[in-house]
Structure formats: structure tokens, C-alpha cells
Amino acid sequence: MRLLLLGFGTVGQGLAELLIEKEPVLKNTYNMECRVVGIADMLKGSIYNADGIDLKAALEKAKAGDRLTDLGDAFAGDALEMVKSANAEMMIEMTYTDIKTGEPATSHIRAALEKGMHVTTSNKGPVALFLNELTALAKSRGVKFLYEGTVISGTPLLNLVRETLAASRITEMKGILNGTTNYILTRMEEGMGYDDALKKAQELGYAEAVPDADVLGWDALAKVTILANAVFGANNKPDDFPCKGITGITPDAINDAKARGKRFKLVGKVWREGDRVKGSVGPEEVDLAHPLAGIMGATNAVTIRTDTLGDVTIVGPGAGRTETGYSMLVDIIAAGGVR
Amino acid sequence: MRLLLLGFGTVGQGLAELLIEKEPVLKNTYNMECRVVGIADMLKGSIYNADGIDLKAALEKAKAGDRLTDLGDAFAGDALEMVKSANAEMMIEMTYTDIKTGEPATSHIRAALEKGMHVTTSNKGPVALFLNELTALAKSRGVKFLYEGTVISGTPLLNLVRETLAASRITEMKGILNGTTNYILTRMEEGMGYDDALKKAQELGYAEAVPDADVLGWDALAKVTILANAVFGANNKPDDFPCKGITGITPDAINDAKARGKRFKLVGKVWREGDRVKGSVGPEEVDLAHPLAGIMGATNAVTIRTDTLGDVTIVGPGAGRTETGYSMLVDIIAAGGVR
């Protein structure tokens, strides 16, 4: 299977490492041989070689802060041009997320699907905004559009729902979908002020320099929209749902909740109300006895309510180099593996 | 798909209710039509009808405490004879569990597999003792031997591992595998003595009149053995692993742990040590910050440690009429559904 990687930052490098490490398993268990033929990265340069790129050498260049084009095989055009001209079976879209427009990732994905390439992405923008359109396009071309990494990263939430809750009716999904805000709230409960907790999250690489997407709830809202459309069969945009972040939560409010046996969490929810699908993001005081209350730091968790099992909760890492890279690998296997 | 139900107690009735309720979903989503042709129950009598049994009528009889044979179609032989003489594609084994011998369930399962029937079971005995033999027998006959319901009931642990953690190396599984003992420990931490907590568990139907299988850890040990053999590829018997129950835990020990920020849990574990697979069951003082510490009452949970994702935890109901019935339904779909 010839692969095209768009974006070679943390996630792209994490995937490349896994493709090297898991080569024997892919071959022995899934009868797959993966070959990366193109990498497009705005900062590190773009390379293309129909015979395959030396991934180890590319990783070394990236880690040293050098340009990929030092390896030769420089590709002159941008990512979209690479998608259009490349000969590959699957495109992996890992460029930066723009939650408001979904670009340029959505254009990359449309072009790849139109050419009949499978696509997987960790990019929440295109999935939150255009899931149904992109799924229909993939179907019309007989290929797969997969996005396990967009909601709680490699933790297999979407796969769990698709593969193992067969014949169940899911009535609600509710969870901690953003690790950065959960980290900040955890620190604040320990006594830190909001500004210090945010600074600490930025130092650790959890929060961006402009932290709006996390702290105003937009990232969680994108995930809520993905769940509404992918699991509940809705056709919603993020703007359809109310969204409130954590910036209004004061240390006093946190202490007051604590005294009453409660804990503030930024909760993303999707649920059915009659025939309608509803969604929301906002801070909630969760009872300490609830499974979500115990989710601390940058961990994510989702509780799935079904008619057959009551509540099932899955807890796992919400981000990370290997973890998000792994979600791409699982989707690559789903698209091309034979067991 | 013609089904044979062995055992028509809580689980069997739960499955029958789901087969009725989910008939449209099975047809529309999985292109399946299920027809129960035989029910064998030691207390309620056995019936067989090649054209199909009226499940609603059978449920009414069972709930009223009447015999199934009142419906006509009485079958004269025992369960094993029904398996041998019946014309069916799948046998669902839900008779009582004997963890020490696995009988009579194992004989039923062998006979069904030998005839080329798919089998699913909620019965831990045969799976803990003879998993590898029964899996090989199923393979040789080109049918499936499935057992999702044997470990944390309908909560899709085994499916999660099989379907969604592709290409991951699992290094440890650790969890609360027995709801009854977890309920007793929860009550004891609230101040109840062991005898009162056990009595309460018996009143609620969590614990048997002879509670040994739960409180001495045998039930958890059976599940540990199933995980070792099914997930870690071992070939172990329950007796290979050390096992300790909760009967030695005093209220003083619980209070002492509490004072140190710890909580007693009966923990079942499977892990790798070099090339060897190890397992154990025993009480552990779990740190309150650990996800397993927050699992209270009769809920079950398992933390799966992998090379790709770190720790992923799944939490769900460990037992129950609908929940365990559902695990059989999922296996029926896995054996015969086409999506």
C-alpha cells in the first residue's frame, strides 16, 4: 500500500515511527506492506519518490530540524498538487487544524477521495464541518474515509461503537473530550490560579500560545459535532450547538463545588430528544462518585449510554505523538489489511 | 439462523427478550433472521420444534414459573441429546457454571462444535478450562467458538481487544473482574462488617447462598485464565495462578488503607514477564487516583496496557439479565451477521 503523508509534525513522525516498528506485525498479521511515497510539510519541505521514501532518514532529518529535501527527491508543488499528481492508495491528512474553515485539509481530502484514494485524518476541522459530504464522496468512489484520531486520539472510541456495540441503540455520549482544559481544571482544584495553570499547560505543550480553541471549548465542540454526525446520524455543524469554555470558572467556584462533593469538568455531550439529536459543551459540576469525576490531567473519557448495557465508559490518552500516530495506523489497517 | 438455547434462566430469558426486541435491527442491519428451534432447561423442561418456538409464549411460561412443556413440543431427552439430534446452526450454552469441572457445559459445547454448529457461551467453566481445545475443534469444523459474556458480561472487552487494538502489543491487563466482591468491599468501606455486607449482597441477588466462587476469588480466577489464554496466547489452567479472595480483609485493614489514601480492591491481573505469561487474583491497595479505585458497587473495569496507547480502561456492567443476554446476541451476530 502506497501512502502519502500530509504533515510531518508530531503526529506524522509518530506514525512514521510506528510504520517502521510495526512492519513485521503488519506483514504477518494483516498481509500488508506499507510504503510511504510522498511527504508534504510546509516547514520541512516536500519529497516524493514513487519507489518509496527512506522513513528512517526522513525521521532523522525532522528530528535534527533539517529539511526533508536534503534527502533529494524534492517535490516542487504544495500538498494539494502532490495529492493530485501522486500515485498512492491512501492519503493521511495531518496538517494543522482550522476548526472554523477546515482548510486547507478539506481540499486535500476532497482531492484524494475524488482520485479514489482512501483517506484517514487526525484533523478535526474537515470531520466536524463536512463529515457527511466526505463520507458520501468516499462511498461514491468505493474507498474509505476514516477519522479514529479526531476524538480522544488513539483510544478506540469510534471503533468501539462501530465494531462492538452491534445492535445497541446509543442514547447518549458524554465525556471529557479536551485534555488541556481538564489539565487546567485539575491544577486549579489543587490551588493554582487560572493564569498560572494555563501557563503550566503551555509549558508542557498541552496548550497553544493562543489557547482559544481549547479554553473556549471549540475543540470539544468539534468532537461533539463529529460524534453527533458519525454515531447519531445527524447532519449538524458546530455552530448548531451551545458551547461554553472554562474561562469563566473561578477558584472560588471550584472550592465551593469541592465543599459540596462536586468537581468541575468541561463536559461534551450528545443525546437524543425524541427524533432530534442535541449536543452541547460546557462546564458541569460532576458528582465525585461519577466515573468522569476521577479523570484527571490530560486523560480523556467518554461514557456511552445504550439500551442493552446501560453505561459503558472508555478512558484513555487524548493526545500524544505515538497515541495519535497509532490512530492513523489503525485506520490504515482498516482500509488495507486482510486478516 | 436456527438457534438452540441450553439454559432458560436469567441469561437465557434476557437473550430471548433481546431476540424479540432486536428482530428488526438484526434483519435490517445484519440481514439476519433468527429462529429458536430448541430450549433445554433442567427445571423448566425442554421443548423442540424444527419450525421454531414461540419465544413470547416461552417467556410468559418461564416468568409465571410454569413448565415450557405446557406449550407442547416436549423433548424427552436431556440437553446433550438435544444438541446431538437437533438441526440448528448455533448453540447457545447458558447452563450453570461449574468452575472446577466445566461440566456439563463442556460436553454440550464439544458435541455442538463436532456437529459443525457455532457456539457462544456465558459459562466461564469450559472457557477457563478448555479454551484452546475448543477453539481448535471449532476451527477444524469451520465454525466459531465465542465467549464475550464470560468476562465482564456484555461490556465488550474481548471484542475491544480483538477488533480495535490492532497491531498493539498488550503487556498487561488488570481489573476488577468480580462485581459481588467489589460490592462487598464498597459496603465495608462505608462501615458495614463482612457478614452484613455479604448478607446484603445475597439479598440483592449478587451473591449465591454458597458464596465461595465469588469471595474466594475463583470467579475472578476463571476470568484471569480466560484472558491469559484468549488475549495473551497462553495455555494455562486456573490452578496455575495464585488466587486469594476477600475473606481475610478486616474492617481495620480497610480503615487503615483509607487513612493512607488507598482502597482495597480484588484485582485480577495478567501480564508478560519475558516470554512467560503470569496471572494472579488477590486483594490490592489501589491508590485513590487510579481509575480502578473509583469503580464502586457491582461494576467491573479492566485497564489494558499497550505499547501504542499506554493505558486504556473500559468500565461497564459485570452482570445482569439484559447485559449478559446482550453478549450472546453480539456473538450470534459475529457468527451469522452480514453487514
Side-chain angles (χ1 to χ4, degrees):
Chain A
M1 191 173 225
R2 281 159 303 189
L3 307 176
L4 222 53
L5 311 191
L6 303 199
F8 204 60
T10 309
V11 176
Q13 292 172 43
L15 171 61
E17 285 161 358
L18 280 171
L19 284 170
I20 295 168
E21 187 192 328
K22 296 292 184 184
E23 197 183 337
V25 182
L26 293 178
K27 192 158 184 181
N28 298 334
T29 312
Y30 302 98
N31 198 24
M32 284 186 85
E33 277 186 76
C34 292
R35 199 196 308 160
V36 174
V37 294
I39 303 178
D41 190 279
M42 270 179 45
L43 301 171
K44 301 178 191 73
S46 299
I47 52 178
Y48 183 84
N49 185 326
D51 294 328
I53 285 164
D54 182 342
L55 271 188
K56 265 185 200 146
L59 278 168
E60 273 166 30
K61 287 287 168 203
K63 280 174 192 166
D66 296 334
R67 290 182 64 80
L68 296 174
T69 43
D70 294 355
L71 298 169
D73 299 323
F75 182 85
D78 64 11
L80 187 59
E81 288 168 292
M82 189 185 287
V83 171
K84 287 184 174 166
S85 66
N87 180 9
E89 275 87 39
M90 186 158 194
M91 189 273 272
I92 295 114
E93 161 55 57
M94 300 170 288
T95 66
Y96 63 92
T97 295
D98 182 326
I99 292 178
K100 297 290 171 190
T101 69
E103 290 299 350
T106 306
S107 296
H108 302 156
I109 293 171
R110 280 202 194 98
L113 293 173
E114 264 159 20
K115 277 188 73 174
M117 286 184 201
H118 301 296
V119 171
T120 170
T121 185
S122 57
N123 196 316
K124 285 171 286 288
V127 189
L129 293 166
F130 307 108
L131 172 62
N132 291 345
E133 175 211 323
L134 296 172
T135 300
L137 177 57
K139 207 172 174 187
S140 78
R141 296 296 190 277
V143 293
K144 291 196 175 158
F145 176 54
L146 301 166
Y147 43 87
E148 180 66 62
T150 57
V151 188
I152 58 171
S153 185
T155 303
L157 174 67
L158 295 171
N159 258 310
L160 178 79
V161 169
R162 192 167 47 220
E163 304 294 339
T164 74
L165 293 174
S168 288
R169 182 172 161 85
I170 296 176
T171 54
E172 185 187 278
M173 291 177 83
K174 172 176 171 171
I176 295 167
L177 298 170
N178 180 273
T180 309
T181 47
N182 202 51
Y183 175 84
I184 293 173
L185 291 174
T186 299
R187 288 288 89 83
M188 284 178 78
E189 197 181 316
E190 291 165 8
M192 235 183 227
Y194 172 79
D195 291 334
D196 287 340
L198 171 59
K199 201 174 289 171
K200 188 85 194 151
Q202 285 167 328
E203 280 168 23
L204 287 167
Y206 294 154
E208 310 277 335
V210 180
D212 293 7
D214 288 322
V215 300
L216 298 180
W218 303 344
D219 173 76
L221 179 64
K223 293 163 180 170
V224 158
T225 313
I226 293 170
L227 293 177
N229 294 347
V231 179
F232 289 74
N235 191 14
N236 283 112
K237 302 278 179 198
D239 288 346
D240 297 341
F241 301 129
C243 175
K244 204 174 155 184
I246 62 161
T247 49
I249 304 177
T250 62
D252 281 353
I254 287 177
N255 287 332
D256 178 54
K258 204 172 172 178
R260 284 179 287 109
K262 306 271 187 180
R263 180 174 281 156
F264 270 103
K265 293 291 180 190
L266 185 66
V267 172
K269 265 192 299 200
V270 185
W271 71 100
R272 296 186 198 275
E273 232 174 74
D275 286 344
R276 303 199 55 186
V277 175
K278 302 267 190 166
S280 73
V281 170
E284 279 187 22
E285 291 184 13
V286 177
D287 199 277
L288 282 181
H290 192 280
L292 292 182
I295 308 302
M296 305 305 270
T299 304
N300 283 189
V302 174
T303 298
I304 307 161
R305 180 160 290 170
T306 68
D307 60 346
T308 50
L309 288 173
D311 287 357
V312 171
T313 302
I314 185 159
V315 183
R321 182 188 186 90
T322 306
E323 291 81 354
T324 308
Y326 176 66
S327 71
M328 311 283 107
L329 184 69
V330 168
D331 283 349
I332 293 169
I333 293 171
V338 178
R339 203 156 21 159
Chain B
M1 191 173 226
R2 279 159 302 187
L3 308 176
L4 221 53
L5 311 190
L6 304 200
F8 204 60
T10 309
V11 176
Q13 292 172 42
L15 171 61
E17 285 161 359
L18 281 171
L19 284 170
I20 295 168
E21 187 192 328
K22 296 291 183 186
E23 196 183 338
V25 183
L26 293 178
K27 192 158 183 179
N28 298 333
T29 313
Y30 303 98
N31 198 24
M32 283 187 85
E33 278 185 75
C34 292
R35 200 195 307 159
V36 174
V37 294
I39 302 177
D41 190 279
M42 269 179 44
L43 300 171
K44 302 178 190 72
S46 300
I47 53 178
Y48 183 85
N49 185 326
D51 294 328
I53 285 165
D54 182 343
L55 271 187
K56 266 186 199 143
L59 278 168
E60 274 166 29
K61 286 288 167 203
K63 280 173 191 165
D66 295 336
R67 291 182 64 80
L68 296 174
T69 43
D70 293 355
L71 299 168
D73 299 323
F75 182 84
D78 64 11
L80 187 59
E81 287 167 293
M82 190 185 286
V83 172
K84 287 184 173 165
S85 66
N87 180 10
E89 275 86 40
M90 187 156 192
M91 188 274 272
I92 294 113
E93 161 54 58
M94 300 170 288
T95 65
Y96 62 92
T97 294
D98 182 325
I99 292 179
K100 298 288 170 189
T101 69
E103 290 298 352
T106 306
S107 297
H108 301 156
I109 293 172
R110 281 202 194 101
L113 293 173
E114 263 159 21
K115 277 188 74 173
M117 285 185 202
H118 301 297
V119 170
T120 170
T121 185
S122 57
N123 196 316
K124 286 171 287 288
V127 189
L129 293 166
F130 307 108
L131 173 62
N132 291 344
E133 175 211 322
L134 296 172
T135 301
L137 176 56
K139 208 172 174 187
S140 77
R141 296 297 191 276
V143 293
K144 291 196 174 157
F145 175 56
L146 300 166
Y147 43 88
E148 179 66 61
T150 56
V151 188
I152 58 171
S153 185
T155 303
L157 174 68
L158 295 171
N159 258 310
L160 178 79
V161 169
R162 192 167 48 220
E163 303 295 338
T164 75
L165 293 175
S168 288
R169 181 173 162 84
I170 296 176
T171 53
E172 184 186 277
M173 291 176 84
K174 171 176 170 169
I176 294 166
L177 298 169
N178 180 274
T180 308
T181 47
N182 202 51
Y183 175 85
I184 292 173
L185 290 174
T186 300
R187 288 290 88 83
M188 284 179 76
E189 197 181 315
E190 291 165 9
M192 234 183 230
Y194 172 80
D195 290 335
D196 287 340
L198 171 60
K199 201 174 288 171
K200 188 87 193 150
Q202 285 166 326
E203 279 168 26
L204 287 166
Y206 294 154
E208 309 278 336
V210 179
D212 293 6
D214 288 323
V215 299
L216 298 181
W218 302 344
D219 174 76
L221 179 65
K223 292 162 178 171
V224 158
T225 312
I226 292 170
L227 293 176
N229 294 347
V231 179
F232 289 74
N235 191 14
N236 283 112
K237 302 279 180 198
D239 288 345
D240 296 341
F241 301 130
C243 176
K244 205 173 154 185
I246 62 162
T247 48
I249 305 177
T250 61
D252 282 352
I254 287 178
N255 287 332
D256 178 55
K258 204 173 174 179
R260 285 178 287 108
K262 306 271 187 179
R263 180 174 282 155
F264 270 102
K265 292 291 180 190
L266 185 67
V267 172
K269 264 192 302 199
V270 186
W271 69 100
R272 294 184 200 277
E273 234 175 74
D275 287 344
R276 303 200 54 185
V277 175
K278 302 268 190 167
S280 73
V281 170
E284 279 187 22
E285 291 185 11
V286 177
D287 198 279
L288 282 181
H290 192 280
L292 292 183
I295 308 302
M296 304 304 270
T299 304
N300 283 189
V302 175
T303 298
I304 307 161
R305 179 159 291 171
T306 68
D307 60 345
T308 51
L309 288 173
D311 287 356
V312 171
T313 302
I314 186 160
V315 184
R321 181 188 186 90
T322 306
E323 291 81 354
T324 308
Y326 176 66
S327 70
M328 311 281 108
L329 184 69
V330 167
D331 284 348
I332 293 169
I333 293 171
V338 178
R339 205 162 14 165

